[in-house]
Amino acid sequence: MKKYFIYTYGCQMNVHETEKLAGILEEKGYSKAENATDADIIVFNTCCIRESAEQKILGNIGAIKPIKKAKKDLIVAVCGCMAQQKDMAATLRKKFPFINIVFGANNIEYFGEYLDTYLSQRKFLNKVEADKQYSENIASVSCVRDNALYAYVNIMYGCNNFCTYCIVPYVRGREKSRAPEAIYQEVKNLLAMGYKVITLLGQNVNSYGLDGNTDGTNFAKLLETIANFDGDFELRFMTSHPKDLSDEVIEVMAKCPKISKTLHLPVQAGSNKTLKAMNRSYTKEAYLNLIEKIREKMPEITLSTDIIVGFPGETDEDYQQTVDLIKQVRYHNAFIFMYSKRKGTIAEKMENQVPIAVKRERIHNLLEIQHEISEQLFKEMIGKTIRVLLDTENTKEYIGKAQCGKVVKIAKEKPLKVGNFYDIDIIEYNKGNLIGRIN
Ligand code: 5AD
Ligand code: SF4
């Protein structure tokens, strides 16, 4: 039997699209290889959000050269966001002449056809289409899901926000919502198959339905409908843009017990001047008011965020406001990045680019501050009882995850069942893990 190996980079959207690529390959009779060396086809599902991602991918593509040398029939395909960029297919082909197929972020569903064409012609295929928009066909591709308990469900594709640093709207196209009925059916099927945590995916889930592609269903309505489905499961979603997180969504989150009390709410920066230059459409004050409102309705909520340091023009004072903001909000988790210049974005042309040494110093400092905040918050969980899904076990312990994604370890004192939720008393915080006991 022929085998495939897929390298995946980037966000949850890509992780989920890899499940679709795997579905297409398995329908064609391929099975999953344990490692790239054993594969007959290797796919790179790429990301281009930052230059560091691209460098890593280029390094990894280069590293398979010996495999291709040893196995002449090996097929190498590169797809996803990095491949979608203007002129990238030609650049990749020039750099790595052994690449056979290149296709873009919104062409995933045609991968099977590309493969057939390549197999019959054995000629390099460039299937990247400029400005390709998402089409409903992607939803009908069956997935080979990586995990039996946690499932991703796309509710929309693309992004309309054009934050000035971000390449996503250029490679993923405009926002397009999936029909609610199709989403409901997919979630129901997953629940029937035993999935326990459903995560709804979109670049900006709060604008679901605002493109007029649904029957009027907005994100709050979609969430509420799914949260009322039968079964013991939890519902999560990402990513929320602070400018679009409505009171209605907060109400629904607060009142529906099946919606996880966790929220990823990227703030990006703490200075109003930087937020404006980023085109984020909110001020620090508006963001902090939103957090206050959320905490008023859901005091137990765990929050996470994304932050960029060293955006063009960011002064020490601007940066200090980001420091102040994270200290004020106290996120359980923050993903902190150094600004990376992306070709074709508005910020690429901005003057006052921040020197790399300054960016390094800021990220180092901010990571340290955030680490301390996270440690304190997790220590504050000692003595509390939280709901945990057990997802694995070893001889000594059950291992699960809290709603915020934090690993929780429970000594095997009495028999529990992996795949079930339990109320767990947190008794310790040790080496980055919560230690619990069954309530
Ligand atoms: N440089 C650094 N970080 C970026 N992000 C998006 N574009 C860039 C960029 N050019 C970050 C943002 C976003 C997260 C997914 O990636 O913080 O929320
Ligand atoms: Fe990028 Fe902004 Fe869209 Fe998020 S909301 S994908 S940061 S443009």
Side-chain angles (χ1 to χ4, degrees), residues 49-50 165-166 266 268 306-308 337-340 342:
I49 194 96
R50 283 170 288 277
Y165 50 81
C166 187
Q268 311 295 0
D306 291 341
I307 288 170
I308 296 175
F337 311 105
M338 285 190 284
Y339 167 71
S340 167
R342 302 285 67 204

Side-chain angles (χ1 to χ4, degrees), residues 100-168:
N100 306 114
I101 310 172
V102 184
F103 57 104
N106 288 337
N107 291 47
I108 300 278
E109 66 267 37
Y110 306 114
F111 179 41
E113 293 164 35
Y114 302 157
L115 194 53
D116 289 343
T117 310
Y118 178 74
L119 286 169
S120 67
Q121 301 177 350
R122 294 272 168 190
K123 267 202 230 130
F124 173 66
L125 274 189
N126 174 2
K127 288 291 183 183
V128 177
E129 293 174 60
D131 300 324
K132 174 79 171 63
Q133 300 293 312
Y134 145 87
S135 97
E136 194 71 44
N137 298 339
I138 182 81
S140 58
V141 175
S142 57
C143 296
V144 172
R145 291 181 191 266
D146 226 21
N147 188 291
L149 297 171
Y150 302 88
Y152 292 129
V153 174
N154 269 126
I155 63 164
M156 59 193 300
Y157 299 86
C159 183
N160 289 354
N161 290 315
F162 289 94
C163 300
T164 54
Y165 50 81
C166 187
I167 200 162
V168 169

Side-chain angles (χ1 to χ4, degrees), residues 242-408:
K243 78 178 166 60
D244 297 317
L245 183 63
S246 66
D247 289 355
E248 203 188 349
V249 168
I250 299 171
E251 290 289 340
V252 168
M253 274 189 88
K255 79 174 178 198
C256 295
K258 288 182 189 172
I259 302 180
S260 297
K261 300 300 176 274
T262 189
L263 194 58
H264 183 61
L265 202 57
V267 65
Q268 311 295 0
S271 133
N272 284 337
K273 186 193 94 200
T274 309
L275 287 170
K276 189 155 196 280
M278 287 176 161
N279 190 30
R280 290 292 289 176
S281 314
Y282 53 83
T283 58
K284 173 181 79 178
E285 291 74 21
Y287 183 90
L288 290 171
N289 280 339
L290 183 63
I291 297 285
E292 205 174 289
K293 202 154 56 175
I294 294 165
R295 285 196 163 136
E296 224 165 76
K297 300 269 181 211
M298 294 172 279
E300 73 279 37
I301 194 110
T302 54
L303 296 168
S304 59
T305 200
D306 291 341
I307 288 170
I308 296 175
V309 296
F311 184 79
E314 186 187 68
T315 61
D316 282 341
E317 290 76 47
D318 294 324
Y319 167 69
Q320 195 51 48
Q321 294 198 44
T322 302
V323 173
D324 294 345
L325 184 134
I326 72 161
K327 285 185 177 168
Q328 192 173 342
V329 176
R330 300 180 84 221
Y331 298 99
H332 276 71
N333 205 355
F335 302 90
I336 304 171
F337 311 105
M338 285 190 284
Y339 167 71
S340 167
K341 219 188 214 187
R342 302 285 67 204
K343 219 169 153 193
T345 60
I346 295 164
E348 182 204 1
K349 307 270 170 353
M350 287 181 183
E351 285 167 12
N352 303 325
Q353 297 280 335
V354 175
I356 183 73
V358 176
K359 288 190 215 174
R360 286 215 178 102
E361 196 186 312
R362 288 181 187 162
I363 195 171
H364 180 78
N365 182 39
L366 204 59
L367 282 168
E368 224 163 67
I369 295 167
Q370 178 55 40
H371 181 73
E372 215 162 279
I373 295 169
S374 296
E375 293 279 301
Q376 274 171 15
L377 284 171
F378 288 115
K379 279 183 195 151
E380 283 171 25
M381 284 171 90
I382 297 170
K384 292 192 177 145
T385 302
I386 59 169
R387 200 167 133 90
V388 174
L389 173 66
L390 300 189
D391 53 25
T392 37
E393 62 183 311
N394 57 36
T395 48
K396 284 190 287 189
E397 55 202 1
Y398 294 105
I399 301 164
K401 288 199 190 69
Q403 293 188 339
C404 62
K406 194 72 176 168
V407 170
V408 184

